[in-house]
Amino acid sequence: MVDLVVNYDTLHQLYRAYMPFIKPAGLFVATTESHFLGEELTISYRLPKASQSYEFKGTVVWINPLGASGGRPAGIGLKITTEPESHKHHIEKLLSHELSSGDLTCTM
């Protein structure tokens, strides 16, 4: 059963959601639903210009509450626990030119 579904329609959205400081891989999901640290969730997501969706199990390791500082969206950061290197590869391949950007993200 999938707990949350998210579509990253643009590279900018994906860049803002990617959490490279979470090892081995992490991804932010904007949501106003209540979640707690350590919660296990199944996420289905689609990358920009992709026709297929990917799915992973993850653990909540970050929470942005409603009204978070810096105008950051409410949501959760997840440590990817199923096949993290595969998800990391797909994401970083798309973001290869953006990873050195100084633009703000949804988390830091």
Side-chain angles (χ1 to χ4, degrees):
M1 178 183 93
V2 171
D3 298 298
L4 292 169
V5 176
V6 63
N7 294 319
Y8 299 104
D9 296 322
T10 67
L11 287 178
H12 185 70
Q13 285 177 329
L14 181 61
Y15 168 79
R16 287 185 40 91
Y18 185 51
M19 301 174 77
F21 56 90
I22 302 295
K23 302 299 180 199
L27 203 56
F28 181 84
V29 175
T31 181
T32 56
E33 295 176 18
S34 293
H35 294 282
F36 57 89
L37 292 174
E39 184 177 1
E40 299 285 327
L41 298 171
T42 300
I43 308 298
S44 174
Y45 70 100
R46 192 170 63 229
L47 297 171
K49 300 180 185 174
S51 58
Q52 71 179 33
S53 291
Y54 299 92
E55 192 172 298
F56 68 85
K57 289 188 185 297
T59 304
V60 176
V61 295
W62 185 284
I63 297 175
N64 277 0
L66 283 171
S69 67
R72 290 181 171 84
I76 53 175
L78 295 138
K79 178 179 181 176
I80 299 171
T81 56
T82 52
E83 301 179 22
E85 292 301 328
S86 175
H87 294 282
K88 181 178 179 175
H89 171 77
H90 291 298
I91 293 166
E92 288 189 352
K93 184 177 176 184
L94 286 172
L95 293 179
S96 62
H97 298 293
E98 277 78 19
L99 287 177
S100 62
S101 172
D103 290 349
L104 292 177
T105 68
C106 293
T107 56
M108 294 178 79

